[in-house]
Amino acid sequence: MHQCQEISLREHCPRKTRAIRRMEPEAKERGTTENRGSSSTREQRSSCSSLKMFLVALSFAYFAKALSGSYMKSTITQLERRFDIPSYLTGVIDGSFEIGNLLVIAFVSYFGAKLHRPKIIAMGCVLMAVGTFIIALPHFLIGRYKFETSIRSSVNSTNNLSPCPARLLSPSASGDPLSEAPSTGTVGCEGESNLSMWIYVFLGNVLRGIGETPVQPLGISYIDDFAREENAAFYIGCVQTIAVIGPVFGYLLGSLCAKIYVDIGFVNMESITITPGDARWVGAWWLGYLIAGVITLLSAIPFWFLPRSLPIPSDRGPAQCTPEQTSFIKDSPLLEHKYKADEPDSFLEMAKDFIPTLKTLLGNPVYFIYLCVTIIQLNSLIGMVTYKPKYIEQHYGQSASKANFLMGTINIPAVALGIFTGGLLMKRLKLSIMGAAKFAFSTSLIGYFLSLFFFAMSCENAKVAGITLPYNRVDGVSYEEPSVFSACNSDCVCSDKDWDPVCGEDGITYVSPCLAGCQTSTGSGKNTVFSNCSCVVTAGLSSGNLTASVGHCPHRDDCDRVFPYFLALSVITSFIISLGGTPGYMVLIRCIKPQLKSLALGFHTLSTRTLAGIPAPIYFGAIIDTTCLKWGQKRCGGTGACRIYNTTSYRIAYLGLTMGLRTVSFLLCILGFVLLKRHLRREERSAHQVANGGAELEALRKEEVLAFNSDQSLRTSTTDYNNTERETRL
């Protein structure tokens, strides 16, 4: 019956039939809209939980990579002493991390944005863990650490050898104890493989760099794509804050391991004659790398369970873009392309687009100037941070353990607080691109002027006879080739290559007991006391029947007074400079087209690590090496690690290079502000023109729609009329 009525209605009332047909999809659409609303709510809740999960996972990954990276820097002096290498070579090892990034970061950033980003980050974390384990491998492949010493007695020995061999016993008046005992050195050299074992550390660090590549560009772009715009800066600030907390634990771990002797458990500690404050001490550097590797491996687990993409928040659509952002997103045919996960293209198609996309990115003048500024500033920052623990050790006479402890508990927390505060201020103040750039520049400039006071916080050189102080007791550093030989030790056959310092009763450090002219010794190990030292004199005594003890003399009193002020100023400057970290980073993100975000972040990381992360530790270390006053000797001959530096030259070279680089960066910042203002004005005019053109285009579209509707109505009327005529004829 219904079917007959419908057929009759179609035949006799065609207009009503078409009206019903139009009403049916409208009803269906209303039902679909309601279903979409409920499903959209569920998707938003799922998106929120997934985004929070990703935020936690990324923070943990940042923590793990920051911990292992800071631990590497805390072991710089340990690696120098263990492998007998100069500072510039440890700079090469430290820069090898950036070499790993250089190999793959551009491709990972570009192709990774089109693939499953969380899983790529997970694979990177696994590679970082493997590289960290490889760094610790040399400890298990080489023999026990043997440091240079002239103390030949053992703990159970009752006969102590004289530290001053008589010259008459030597076949040569200028005999060298090291050259007179070729058998020991030859035997050690036949199987001496530890001299090249630092290559394993180098390769492991390269693998760490490769694994770390996807974490930053893919992680930050993932957050910025799927977080609400007002929360993106805050989330990124939180991640970077956690990343700065990582070095706190890294340096604390370095401090703990530096106190433990490198061969702990395999040697009798009572036979060890050196202390953690000695220039020959090597801590258990390998232990920290095993711990860091396990933590990094655990950080990879959550990323395997995260989705490739998340629903886009409603406020991230094109209609919600600010005018300033719209000015940067010019010539973008479909803005919604940014807010959808990229469809997987073929590898060949993606490769063809790489070079043109890179040219477009570098054609942005604001991005290019920002890139140059950050490269120069990171040269200063990386060089300063890499050798700051060593600067504290050498300039202020602190042990490696204490230097790392101070870096972890005082300096790094100030940086973390500054980065977090900077992100919070940017969210509260709702800074524009220009406002963020001005804020970052101002904080950096204030920190620069405060850092100039470091030059005034100087210490005198340690008093070492024959190196920083002549034997005739005239204060002052000898800038000519120093001589450790004097009339007081002429009756002894001593080597000028030994480094076995002893502290005389006169408060002067001597290179070795032999060069101090000591005739006898009592005790063993750390408790050894040298007597009848002819070079040790005090006020009122012309010749020495005084004693000397093992190790350096206590450091200068003037350094003990200056050191607290150095720490306080270091904390203040670190906090102020780090305030501009998050605003400065957001300038990088907001000054580029959204579809180029992953590539821009990746290329920025590639450039800074290539031109700053790799060369900065090397040339900083090479310049620091020029201030060395006494080099150690390798067992098989050749120059080893530096034992003592000229603190005045060290301070001028270290601080002068740091401040000089920052001065150049500020000059480029001025040019950057000029270009940024011009760019914003030009884009504002373009935005107004586009807006006016858009209004005209919308009016034309409305006219076209009206014309189209009228044409359709006319066609419909004609069709109805023809149908009526046909029915009438029938």
Side-chain angles (χ1 to χ4, degrees):
M1 187 70 181
H2 277 297
Q3 292 178 353
C4 295
Q5 290 178 352
E6 286 182 6
I7 293 171
S8 176
L9 184 63
R10 290 171 187 171
E11 292 177 351
H12 300 285
C13 303
R15 293 184 180 179
K16 292 182 179 180
T17 303
R18 286 192 294 272
I20 292 173
R21 287 176 178 174
R22 286 196 299 268
M23 292 171 64
E24 287 177 353
E26 290 178 1
K28 292 180 180 179
E29 185 176 355
R30 284 195 299 269
T32 304
T33 303
E34 294 176 358
N35 294 333
R36 287 177 181 173
S38 60
S39 63
S40 176
T41 303
R42 290 193 297 270
E43 287 180 355
Q44 289 179 358
R45 292 176 181 174
S46 176
S47 171
C48 182
S49 61
S50 297
L51 183 62
K52 290 180 179 179
M53 182 69 176
F54 182 85
L55 187 65
V56 173
L58 186 65
S59 299
F60 187 44
Y62 263 69
F63 171 83
K65 77 182 185 71
L67 184 145
S68 58
S70 59
Y71 183 76
M72 163 63 73
K73 295 188 181 299
S74 72
T75 58
I76 287 294
T77 54
Q78 311 294 319
L79 296 176
E80 284 184 21
R81 298 167 185 174
R82 184 64 185 94
F83 300 109
D84 276 324
I85 54 179
S87 295
Y88 83 89
L89 206 49
T90 56
V92 173
I93 294 175
D94 186 68
S96 63
F97 178 85
E98 320 301 344
I99 294 175
N101 271 264
L102 172 63
L103 296 175
V104 296
I105 191 170
F107 300 100
V108 168
S109 301
Y110 183 70
F111 298 117
K114 301 175 182 294
L115 302 174
H116 199 300
R117 284 181 280 188
K119 288 187 178 179
I120 294 177
I121 294 174
M123 290 186 286
C125 291
V126 173
L127 282 179
M128 278 196 294
V130 174
T132 307
F133 292 138
I134 292 176
I135 293 176
L137 185 61
H139 173 75
F140 303 97
L141 300 179
I142 59 179
R144 304 289 170 248
Y145 174 57
K146 297 180 181 179
F147 53 89
E148 50 189 316
T149 180
S150 59
I151 302 176
R152 308 299 181 186
S153 60
S154 62
V155 177
N156 298 324
S157 176
T158 57
N159 297 321
N160 291 331
L161 299 176
S162 172
C164 177
R167 184 170 294 278
L168 296 176
L169 298 177
S170 174
S172 171
S174 59
D176 188 340
L178 294 179
S179 62
E180 291 170 4
S183 58
T184 304
T186 304
V187 173
C189 290
E190 290 176 356
E192 190 71 22
S193 60
N194 64 318
L195 296 180
S196 58
M197 279 292 171
W198 63 268
I199 296 295
Y200 286 92
V201 182
F202 177 88
L203 295 177
N205 213 26
V206 169
L207 192 59
R208 275 189 61 243
I210 294 175
E212 193 268 350
T213 302
V215 177
Q216 181 178 6
L218 300 187
I220 295 298
S221 63
Y222 193 93
I223 290 176
D224 194 64
D225 282 346
F226 302 117
R228 293 184 180 275
E229 188 161 356
E230 67 271 13
N231 294 333
F234 179 71
Y235 289 159
I236 294 174
C238 291
V239 172
Q240 291 183 339
T241 301
I242 298 298
V244 179
I245 293 176
V248 174
F249 291 89
Y251 279 107
L252 290 178
L253 182 61
S255 175
L256 176 63
C257 294
K259 290 181 180 179
I260 305 172
Y261 188 66
V262 60
D263 294 322
I264 186 69
F266 296 95
V267 296
N268 184 0
M269 292 304 297
E270 294 182 0
S271 65
I272 303 301
T273 60
I274 56 177
T275 61
D278 195 285
R280 297 163 294 172
W281 176 271
V282 176
W285 59 274
W286 52 273
L287 181 60
Y289 286 111
L290 296 180
I291 297 174
V294 172
I295 295 175
T296 306
L297 191 61
L298 292 176
S299 69
I301 296 176
F303 290 103
W304 297 106
F305 305 99
L306 289 169
R308 175 181 175 178
S309 61
L310 300 173
I312 305 300
S314 58
D315 66 337
R316 295 304 298 266
Q320 300 296 329
C321 290
T322 62
E324 197 170 36
Q325 286 177 301
T326 305
S327 68
F328 280 108
I329 312 173
K330 63 177 182 179
D331 302 329
S332 180
L334 291 174
L335 288 176
E336 62 185 11
H337 171 74
K338 172 233 197 285
Y339 304 102
K340 295 181 180 179
D342 295 331
E343 296 297 328
D345 300 326
S346 67
F347 183 84
L348 184 61
E349 291 177 356
M350 291 189 293
K352 287 180 179 179
D353 293 338
F354 178 71
I355 299 299
T357 306
L358 185 61
K359 290 182 179 179
T360 303
L361 178 64
L362 296 179
N364 187 333
V366 178
Y367 177 80
F368 184 76
I369 291 296
Y370 181 91
L371 190 64
C372 294
V373 171
T374 51
I375 286 173
I376 297 174
Q377 287 199 345
L378 282 176
N379 268 273
S380 173
L381 178 64
I382 292 173
M384 184 268 293
V385 172
T386 301
Y387 294 102
K388 190 169 186 177
K390 185 172 182 177
Y391 179 76
I392 294 175
E393 292 178 48
Q394 299 296 331
H395 195 74
Y396 296 102
Q398 307 297 323
S399 66
S401 176
K402 186 174 182 180
N404 291 329
F405 178 80
L406 293 173
M407 285 286 293
T409 57
I410 297 179
N411 211 58
I412 302 300
V415 175
L417 182 62
I419 291 178
F420 179 79
T421 306
L424 193 61
L425 287 175
M426 186 169 182
K427 180 183 179 181
R428 292 288 180 86
L429 300 177
K430 298 181 180 179
L431 296 176
S432 62
I433 295 177
M434 179 61 74
K438 290 180 179 179
F439 185 84
F441 177 79
S442 300
T443 55
S444 182
L445 189 63
I446 294 173
Y448 172 82
F449 287 120
L450 289 176
S451 298
L452 294 175
F453 289 99
F454 285 125
F455 285 97
M457 299 178 180
S458 60
C459 290
E460 296 179 356
N461 284 283
K463 295 180 179 180
V464 181
I467 295 181
T468 64
L469 189 69
Y471 277 90
N472 59 10
R473 301 297 183 270
V474 178
D475 290 340
V477 177
S478 175
Y479 292 98
E480 299 178 355
E481 186 67 25
S483 176
V484 293
F485 298 109
S486 178
C488 62
N489 55 31
S490 59
D491 293 334
C492 302
V493 181
C494 303
S495 172
D496 60 349
K497 297 180 180 179
D498 281 341
W499 179 258
D500 190 16
V502 293
C503 179
E505 285 189 71
D506 54 357
I508 306 297
T509 300
Y510 295 86
V511 175
S512 68
C514 182
L515 291 172
C518 300
Q519 304 295 325
T520 60
S521 64
T522 57
S524 61
K526 298 177 184 178
N527 299 320
T528 302
V529 177
F530 301 95
S531 306
N532 299 325
C533 301
S534 58
C535 294
V536 179
V537 296
T538 58
L541 295 177
S542 58
S543 62
N545 290 320
L546 303 178
T547 61
S549 57
V550 175
H552 288 271
C553 290
H555 215 264
R556 291 84 68 196
D557 292 337
D558 57 334
C559 281
D560 294 336
R561 291 192 297 267
V562 171
F563 188 56
Y565 295 102
F566 169 82
L567 292 178
L569 184 61
S570 179
V571 169
I572 295 173
T573 54
S574 298
F575 174 77
I576 293 176
I577 293 174
S578 59
L579 278 174
T582 301
Y585 200 78
M586 296 307 297
V587 171
L588 169 64
I589 294 177
R590 301 304 183 198
C591 75
I592 53 177
K593 295 180 181 179
Q595 59 267 34
L596 299 179
K597 188 184 304 176
S598 292
L599 179 61
L601 292 173
F603 189 78
H604 173 265
T605 307
L606 166 69
S607 302
T608 52
R609 288 180 170 173
T610 304
L611 302 177
I614 296 175
I618 298 175
Y619 67 76
F620 263 81
I623 292 175
I624 290 173
D625 284 338
T626 62
T627 66
C628 183
L629 295 175
K630 172 65 177 176
W631 290 95
Q633 297 295 315
K634 296 180 181 178
R635 294 177 57 193
C636 301
T639 302
C642 184
R643 300 308 187 191
I644 185 172
Y645 292 88
N646 185 331
T647 56
T648 302
S649 300
Y650 194 134
R651 183 181 71 256
I652 295 174
Y654 174 74
L655 296 178
L657 186 58
T658 301
M659 303 302 291
L661 290 170
R662 292 174 64 185
T663 302
V664 175
S665 70
F666 289 139
L667 298 178
L668 283 178
C669 282
I670 297 174
L671 176 61
F673 277 115
V674 174
L675 291 175
L676 182 59
K677 287 182 179 180
R678 291 179 180 178
H679 188 75
L680 288 175
R681 290 174 183 173
R682 183 170 60 252
E683 294 305 322
E684 284 177 1
R685 289 193 296 267
S686 300
H688 286 303
Q689 293 176 0
V690 170
N692 295 333
E696 296 176 359
L697 182 62
E698 186 65 24
L700 290 174
R701 286 178 178 174
K702 289 181 179 179
E703 292 179 2
E704 290 179 358
V705 170
L706 291 175
F708 178 78
N709 291 337
S710 62
D711 184 60
Q712 287 292 107
S713 300
L714 181 61
R715 290 181 181 179
T716 302
S717 300
T718 304
T719 303
D720 293 343
Y721 177 77
N722 292 335
N723 291 335
T724 304
E725 287 293 325
R726 188 179 296 108
E727 292 174 0
T728 303
R729 290 174 183 176
L730 291 174

